[in-house]
Amino acid sequence: MTQFRKFANPAPLGLSAFALTTFVLSLHNGGIGQKLGSPPNVVVGLAFFYGGLCQLLAGMWEFAVGNTFGATAFSSYAGFWMAYAAILKPDYGVLDALSKAGTTTTQHALGIFLLGWVIMTFIFLLATLRTNLGMCLLFAFLDITFILLCAGEWTGRPHVTQAGGYFGLFTALIAWYNAAADLIGHHNSYFALPNPSLVPNSARRAVNDPDYKTEEAE
């Protein structure tokens, strides 16, 4: 008889990888700890291996446990971080090729790249409206972050990008909170972190009580 091993919850890994990488880049974008506009290349290693590879693994494990949303979101943002790292890494020649066409071309190209993630993140936001407050806030703040970063690149206004950095910091903290809420509980700690459900009471009752719909029909 074939036995299947049960997978652990991969969400805290994916959320933590996303949070830390976002936190570091947002500090740079916000001009916190160093001069505004400094090269953000210190994030390349994180973007390839933690925000990229580790988050991709979390996404693949979400597929294995049957969570389509988690798998799509983690794998997509892993792709974002790997793509962003490739843009920054000189070996790929992306920024070099764009810079030869001029500053405006570079800014607009990065703006288009970020615009795609504005749209993708909005789709994810719509898919969290009936999950829990932490996840809904995470994607709401992330979408605002992408909007500001996109606008900052497109207009060439550093202070708009800086505002995106501030929102990115809040996004990272919310992602860490969601990860901590999954990791910390009464089974391993003295407290649990609240994460209120956004599922309507009627929908929750229908899931927990198979006879609920039958009773309503009668």
Side-chain angles (χ1 to χ4, degrees), residues 51-122:
L53 179 60
C54 287
Q55 195 174 182
L56 178 62
L57 291 173
M60 295 300 102
W61 285 320
E62 288 282 17
F63 274 122
V65 300
N67 184 357
T68 303
F69 174 80
T72 307
F74 286 142
S75 302
S76 295
Y77 290 116
F80 163 78
W81 284 118
M82 290 179 175
Y84 186 70
I87 290 172
L88 293 179
K89 193 165 172 51
D91 294 350
Y92 288 91
V94 178
L95 284 181
D96 184 55
L98 289 172
S99 63
K100 290 177 182 177
T103 302
T104 302
T105 299
T106 302
Q107 291 173 335
H108 286 186
L110 293 174
I112 291 169
F113 172 76
L114 292 167
L115 178 61
W117 290 101
V118 170
I119 297 168
M120 192 73 194
T121 303
F122 183 70

Side-chain angles (χ1 to χ4, degrees), residues 105-195:
T105 299
T106 302
Q107 291 173 335
H108 286 186
L110 293 174
I112 291 169
F113 172 76
L114 292 167
L115 178 61
W117 290 101
V118 170
I119 297 168
M120 192 73 194
T121 303
F122 183 70
I123 294 171
F124 288 138
L125 172 61
L126 295 179
T128 64
L129 296 180
R130 290 180 58 170
T131 56
N132 57 61
L133 183 60
M135 291 301 291
C136 192
L137 286 176
L138 171 61
F139 285 96
F141 271 81
L142 180 58
D143 210 24
I144 294 171
T145 300
F146 276 129
I147 289 170
L148 289 171
L149 295 178
C150 174
E153 290 291 351
W154 195 264
T155 62
R157 296 181 178 176
H159 292 297
V160 179
T161 299
Q162 187 176 25
Y166 294 152
F167 271 91
L169 286 175
F170 282 112
T171 302
L173 293 175
I174 295 169
W176 263 322
Y177 183 90
N178 278 283
D182 278 346
L183 285 172
I184 300 170
H186 293 293
H187 65 288
N188 63 1
S189 187
Y190 293 105
F191 62 93
L193 295 175
N195 196 355

